[in-house]
Amino acid sequence: MERIAVFPGSFDPITCGHESVIRRAVPLFDKIIVALGVNSQKQGYFDSETRLKMIGATFADCPSVISAQYSGLTVDFCQEVGAQYLLRGLRTSADFEFERSIGQINKQLTTNIETIFMLTQPEHTPLNSSIIRDILKHGGDAHQFVPHAAWQIIQENI
Ligand code: ADP
């Protein structure tokens, strides 16, 4: 059976922290679906098409990493695509507490899906998409925090 993982998030925009976790997980799974969760009530900084384009460009060299968009419960999306694993990154103890409750509830909702956590690389611990959006809003240079291919797309869209 194929080992399929879903890595869910907003990716508004994708960061070097996301990229690092996904690349380190490539040897563990046959397929990783980087899944953009869409909330119709919430307008993102980048539209979902641009976010998906950034994810696709970042992993153009990784055939086992694909991108997708979903709305609704993440575990329902996992069932739909036949994923047995939910992959998440852990930066801090605050992430752990947040992820612990979601992971435990997801396990109660769907017993056949395991949540797998990967610790962030130390240099990516302070990184999140909202800091990058703030830098961009104020005209700053965030290239060092974003995958190279995604940065090129950001420049075309700001
Ligand atoms: P959310 O949509 O829950 O805000 P994000 O889109 O920010 O999530 O991130 C998706 C996943 O990537 C989460 O598991 C999150 O913990 C992880 N992640 C976010 N930033 C980093 C980082 N700098 N290093 C490692 N993992 C990260």
Side-chain angles (χ1 to χ4, degrees):
M1 195 161 79
E2 257 198 327
R3 288 160 305 154
I4 303 174
V6 164
F7 185 78
S10 324
F11 309 108
D12 191 20
I14 186 166
T15 71
C16 293
H18 297 133
E19 181 190 18
S20 159
V21 168
I22 295 164
R23 284 191 186 273
R24 286 158 57 216
V26 162
L28 304 176
F29 302 103
D30 297 305
K31 196 199 281 181
I32 300 176
I33 303 172
V34 183
L36 177 58
V38 179
N39 176 350
S40 55
Q41 315 289 359
K42 218 171 113 188
Q43 173 83 29
Y45 186 75
F46 293 102
D47 61 33
S48 48
E49 198 187 315
T50 307
R51 289 188 240 170
L52 285 172
K53 208 165 136 190
M54 287 191 251
I55 297 167
T58 301
F59 297 104
D61 61 324
C62 285
S64 66
V65 178
I66 60 168
S67 62
Q69 185 174 318
Y70 74 101
S71 55
L73 288 179
T74 304
V75 284
D76 288 344
F77 176 72
C78 290
Q79 303 281 37
E80 223 172 87
V81 296
Q84 313 92 328
Y85 303 100
L86 246 171
L87 179 63
R88 299 291 287 170
L90 283 183
R91 285 162 291 191
T92 60
S93 54
D95 269 359
F96 171 75
E97 279 309 326
F98 180 73
E99 295 292 344
R100 184 181 56 77
S101 57
I102 296 179
Q104 288 174 335
I105 295 292
N106 279 342
K107 185 70 179 161
Q108 270 182 261
L109 288 175
T110 323
T111 51
N112 60 334
I113 296 173
E114 291 293 345
T115 303
I116 309 284
F117 295 109
M118 223 150 169
L119 284 180
T120 189
Q121 300 268 88
E123 65 271 29
H124 297 139
T125 303
L127 206 51
N128 62 60
S129 298
S130 129
I131 289 181
I132 292 173
R133 291 195 299 273
D134 277 344
I135 298 172
L136 295 174
K137 274 179 208 159
H138 296 100
D141 178 4
H143 83 274
Q144 60 185 309
F145 307 124
V146 174
H148 182 70
W151 181 247
Q152 287 175 322
I153 295 168
I154 287 178
Q155 284 182 303
E156 291 160 14
N157 284 278
I158 49 173

